[in-house]
Amino acid sequence: MSRAAPRVRTVFACAECGQQSPKWLGQCPACKQWNTLQEEIAAPEPKVGAAPRGWGTHAAAKPLPLREVEAREEQRQRTGIGELDRVLGGGVVPGALVLLGGDPGIGKSTLVLAALDRVARANPDRPVLYVSGEESARQVKLRADRLGVAARNLQVLAETDALKVLQAAEALAPAAVAVDSIQTQYLPELQSAPGTVTQIREVTARLMALAKTTETPIFLIGHVTKDGSIAGPRVLEHMVDTVLYFEGGGAHPYRVLRAHKNRFGSASEIGVFEMKAGGLAEVANPSALFLAERPEDAPGSAVTAVLNGTRTVLVEVQALVAPTGYGTPRRTALGVDGNRVALLAAVLEKKVGLEILPCDLFVNVAGGLSVDDPAADLAVVAALASSFRERALPARTLVLGEVGLAGEVRAVSQPGIRLAEAARLGFQRAIVPAASLRHADAPDGIELVGVTTVADALDRLA
């Protein structure tokens, strides 16, 4: 009599947080997201006394007294791309696991391949490994030729079996590794399909162990969902050391690389690139780029200085106030928080007397940059008032300040470096909070005007 095949046990795992359930549920009980539970084959229970999956041959670490631990600044590896090094905090740390996400076609693979080429040129005696799970080696070669990537020690591996990738990495002992993309990799011992919660979590754990034990920096490229977040369980972002997002695309040729998490540097840094026929080109002066096409004497345009980590960027805030053709006025904001725009419009009506709330309000940050610095509040207010009054703001004037609900203009952080950037680009006048004048000296060639209220600021701009 033939023995019956063992029954395969399945579970339902949440694609957002990894929570498992024995049956399908419309809403995940852990993260409260809808329609995220996916059926997977459950991993077999380990035998009693068996070593955990992924148990390596490395010697077990021993606890040490904290005072005996050697504390030293990590020697960072420069990628050769200044904007990428800036976002990483000065270069990639040995053993770091970096996750890069972004929309399809935005330039993730282009950036990583160019970075590996420069790392390979800087380390001619060590190989560098690029793992492609979505393209063949021939397709990678075509892109490399277009980008001018030709380092002799840059190795390409077209493979989706994570075990073979790990074996190749251990055999090569590379200076850096890139996996494009993490959703295509799978472990044969797990019966789940590639891209599922279990596969992504386990493959990332193996790659993290490789990075930490060999001090090899590893770049992971991740897919994104429709709402712009990196696909896979949220635990993926917790496991890695650095999470970078590529923003932009569409009609804009500019790309913004933003750090959302960085254990070895600032999590608010940005890098700016321009997509050209030969690949991504660094933009060393983003302020001049974002202000290059600013119209002269146009109502509804104001310039402010925002901070992104250690970088100061001058951006143009545009506003359009128009009579509404609907029962409910429209509020559209691109690059700024829409709720913040509604709040500032209410301050304009209540504290200044502009009847702006019955109108349609459109606010945009030129160039496609997203701004979350509260120092841009006064520029939004000035742009809205300028469009409503059909009166252009004075040229070469910077507007800076946070706006409160009482109509007051509050101080901003680091006013000195903001004003220095404005003076470098030829601005001659700056409307700043009066409280900030105590912490900043006027750079050569720029006049500082301190204000305490929104009404006072608009009077000075008239």
Side-chain angles (χ1 to χ4, degrees):
M1 180 184 235
S2 61
R3 182 176 299 178
R7 184 165 176 249
V8 177
R9 187 172 70 91
T10 62
V11 296
F12 292 87
C14 176
E16 292 290 332
C17 66
Q19 174 74 17
Q20 293 186 348
S21 170
K23 63 179 181 178
W24 185 85
L25 300 172
Q27 184 185 41
C28 174
C31 65
K32 307 303 180 183
Q33 296 294 317
W34 289 93
N35 300 320
T36 57
L37 268 67
Q38 302 173 355
E39 186 176 13
E40 297 183 4
I41 298 176
E45 294 292 334
K47 297 180 180 179
V48 178
R53 293 195 309 273
W55 190 268
T57 58
H58 306 286
K62 297 180 180 180
L64 291 174
L66 181 61
R67 65 177 182 272
E68 296 182 10
V69 177
E70 181 183 358
R72 60 183 178 86
E73 183 66 22
E74 293 287 355
Q75 184 65 37
R76 295 178 182 266
Q77 169 69 56
R78 295 279 183 175
T79 65
I81 301 177
E83 293 298 295
L84 177 58
D85 287 336
R86 173 192 288 272
V87 178
L88 290 173
V92 61
V93 173
L97 196 62
V98 180
L99 177 63
L100 174 62
D103 294 332
I106 200 170
K108 304 184 297 295
S109 301
T110 299
L111 177 65
V112 170
L113 190 58
L116 288 188
D117 176 63
R118 302 193 185 187
V119 171
R121 294 176 188 269
N123 298 271
D125 55 337
R126 296 185 62 187
V128 172
L129 181 60
Y130 180 85
V131 180
S132 176
E134 299 178 333
E135 298 176 313
S136 66
R138 186 184 299 273
Q139 291 172 320
V140 175
K141 172 62 174 173
L142 291 174
R143 181 192 295 119
D145 290 342
R146 178 172 57 85
L147 300 177
V149 173
R152 293 182 177 275
N153 52 332
L154 177 57
Q155 306 278 337
V156 178
L157 175 63
E159 183 59 67
T160 57
D161 188 333
L163 286 180
K164 295 180 180 179
V165 171
L166 292 169
Q167 292 169 359
E170 291 179 355
L172 286 174
V177 177
V179 179
D180 184 8
S181 65
I182 186 62
Q183 279 83 5
T184 63
Q185 300 297 312
Y186 72 96
L187 290 169
E189 63 200 58
L190 303 179
Q191 300 182 31
S192 303
T196 56
V197 173
T198 304
Q199 288 284 5
I200 293 176
R201 182 175 58 239
E202 292 295 324
V203 171
T204 303
R206 302 286 183 94
L207 291 171
M208 180 176 65
L210 174 67
K212 302 306 178 185
T213 55
T214 62
E215 291 196 338
T216 303
I218 299 179
F219 293 88
L220 307 178
I221 295 179
H223 296 164
V224 295
T225 59
K226 290 186 294 185
D227 61 356
S229 60
I230 295 180
R234 184 61 61 181
V235 70
L236 175 62
E237 298 188 21
H238 295 302
M239 294 172 68
V240 301
D241 298 308
T242 304
V243 179
L244 307 179
Y245 276 90
F246 235 157
E247 302 173 355
H252 292 288
Y254 310 116
R255 309 285 190 267
V256 176
L257 182 64
R258 190 183 301 272
H260 283 244
K261 170 189 176 182
N262 193 354
R263 289 174 178 161
F264 311 116
S266 172
S268 57
E269 289 283 1
I270 66 167
V272 183
F273 298 86
E274 183 178 3
M275 180 62 77
K276 297 183 177 180
L280 291 168
E282 298 179 62
V283 177
N285 190 357
S287 297
L289 173 71
F290 292 131
L291 299 180
E293 301 179 27
R294 186 190 178 204
E296 296 289 339
D297 298 327
S301 174
V303 177
T304 189
V306 296
L307 286 180
N308 288 277
T310 59
R311 163 171 276 168
T312 304
V313 181
L314 266 59
V315 296
E316 179 191 2
V317 178
Q318 297 178 332
L320 179 64
V321 180
T324 184
Y326 305 92
T328 302
R330 297 180 59 186
R331 303 287 187 265
T332 302
L334 299 176
V336 291
D337 184 14
N339 293 327
R340 192 71 179 170
V341 172
L343 180 150
L344 296 174
V347 170
L348 265 177
E349 174 140 342
K350 182 72 174 179
K351 301 300 179 180
V352 183
L354 298 183
E355 297 182 0
I356 198 172
L357 291 181
C359 301
D360 289 338
L361 305 182
F362 305 91
V363 178
N364 174 52
V365 177
L369 188 68
S370 296
V371 174
D372 56 5
D373 191 339
D377 286 355
L378 192 58
V380 175
V381 168
L384 287 170
S386 171
S387 178
F388 180 80
R389 294 170 171 174
E390 284 294 332
R391 190 183 308 160
L393 299 179
R396 295 297 175 182
T397 299
L398 184 77
V399 184
L400 200 62
E402 180 182 356
V403 175
L405 289 178
E408 78 279 14
V409 179
R410 296 173 173 264
V412 299
S413 63
Q414 303 184 37
I417 62 175
R418 300 177 193 257
L419 295 172
E421 178 71 8
R424 188 177 66 84
L425 290 180
F427 280 75
Q428 302 168 353
R429 190 165 177 253
I431 306 297
V432 299
S436 295
L437 294 178
R438 298 193 300 266
H439 309 288
D441 296 327
D444 293 339
I446 190 169
E447 175 193 359
L448 300 187
V449 179
V451 296
T452 56
T453 65
V454 171
D456 185 16
L458 295 180
D459 288 342
R460 299 298 185 95
L461 288 169

